[in-house]
Amino acid sequence: MGTAEETAGGEAQAWGEVTPDAARRLLIAAVEAFAERGYHATTTRDIAGRAGMSPAALYIHYKTKEELLHRISRIGHAKALEILRTAARREGSARERLADAVGSFVRWHAGGRTTARVVQYELDSLGPDARAEILALRRQCDDEVHRVIEDGVASGEFDVLDVKGTTLAVLSLCIDVARWFNVDGPWTPDEVGALYADLVLRMVGAGEPAPAQK
């Protein structure tokens, strides 16, 4: 499966809120181009060409190339926050919530790796105001994971000396999946999600769940 097929098919739901159709096609084309060539090496002509449109048509929907990246980043980070918040605030033990958060977050980065690479690794290409907005969303993502780990320490489920540092390590581990995951590789997104959930639980000293009391 090529990048265009992966983005337009497997990742299409991520862009359902982008309308009209022409704006969505341009945004998907930008995701492809930024992931393949990097933001700075991509031109508006490249993006328009991938979308089957003229460069002039792009400016009807987006004033600048940065506006496209900003919108991609904002939607992507909002989705990441939704994934983490849903898992982190559900019913269950801290162990269960952390495993769910990590597994879900990793599956998103693997299944939508083209989008995730742009969302996570092109932050410094944004201007100061747009970058500040995205950093605020990132901090909210950090806070969700931090809160679960903190809960686990308080309940005795986790053995963590530095909650802030561990939160950074957990999120970095998850995000890096977008860099290396290969759809033609040996693992599915679900398998990688399960593997990373297990690794993170071991990282925080959770180990295996305690047997149920009889």
Side-chain angles (χ1 to χ4, degrees):
M1 180 180 291
T3 303
E5 291 172 307
E6 172 209 323
T7 305
E11 301 185 32
Q13 289 185 341
W15 312 116
E17 64 271 67
V18 180
T19 57
D21 178 68
R24 183 167 56 253
R25 284 165 51 201
L26 286 163
L27 187 140
I28 291 171
V31 170
E32 294 177 356
F34 294 157
E36 182 181 317
R37 306 186 63 184
Y39 175 79
H40 291 294
T42 298
T43 66
T44 53
R45 183 175 294 276
D46 294 332
I47 295 167
R50 285 174 184 263
M53 301 166 69
S54 69
L58 184 148
Y59 295 110
I60 296 173
H61 302 284
Y62 302 99
K63 295 177 182 177
T64 64
K65 183 175 72 168
E66 185 189 345
E67 183 180 333
L68 264 166
L69 178 61
H70 182 206
R71 191 161 192 196
I72 291 164
S73 298
R74 186 172 62 244
I75 293 172
H77 278 86
K79 180 60 178 176
L81 178 58
E82 177 189 358
I83 289 168
L84 289 172
R85 181 169 286 165
T86 298
R89 300 191 183 189
R90 73 175 182 84
E91 295 294 325
S93 66
R95 187 185 194 282
E96 291 168 338
R97 289 183 286 136
L98 183 61
D100 190 6
V102 169
S104 300
F105 200 45
V106 166
R107 285 194 299 273
W108 183 72
H109 280 82
R113 64 201 179 282
T114 303
T115 296
R117 280 200 299 271
V118 177
V119 168
Q120 299 291 8
Y121 293 111
E122 289 288 358
L123 176 64
D124 289 340
S125 299
L126 291 170
D129 292 343
R131 188 172 185 275
E133 180 187 354
I134 302 306
L135 283 174
L137 287 170
R138 284 200 176 198
R139 283 192 291 272
Q140 291 181 65
C141 291
D142 294 352
D143 289 346
E144 295 299 330
V145 176
H146 187 281
R147 186 179 296 111
V148 178
I149 296 175
E150 208 167 43
D151 289 347
V153 172
S155 67
E157 295 172 71
F158 301 158
D159 182 12
V160 173
L161 294 178
D162 183 344
V163 174
K164 183 177 180 180
T166 302
T167 298
L168 175 61
V170 168
L171 288 168
S172 297
L173 190 69
C174 295
I175 288 168
D176 194 56
V177 170
R179 183 186 57 79
W180 65 261
F181 185 81
N182 184 345
V183 70
D184 296 318
W187 298 301
T188 66
D190 285 344
E191 289 170 339
V192 177
L195 171 63
Y196 273 54
D198 179 69
L199 291 172
V200 168
L201 290 178
R202 294 175 189 277
M203 181 190 299
V204 298
E208 295 297 323
Q213 295 294 321
K214 295 183 179 180

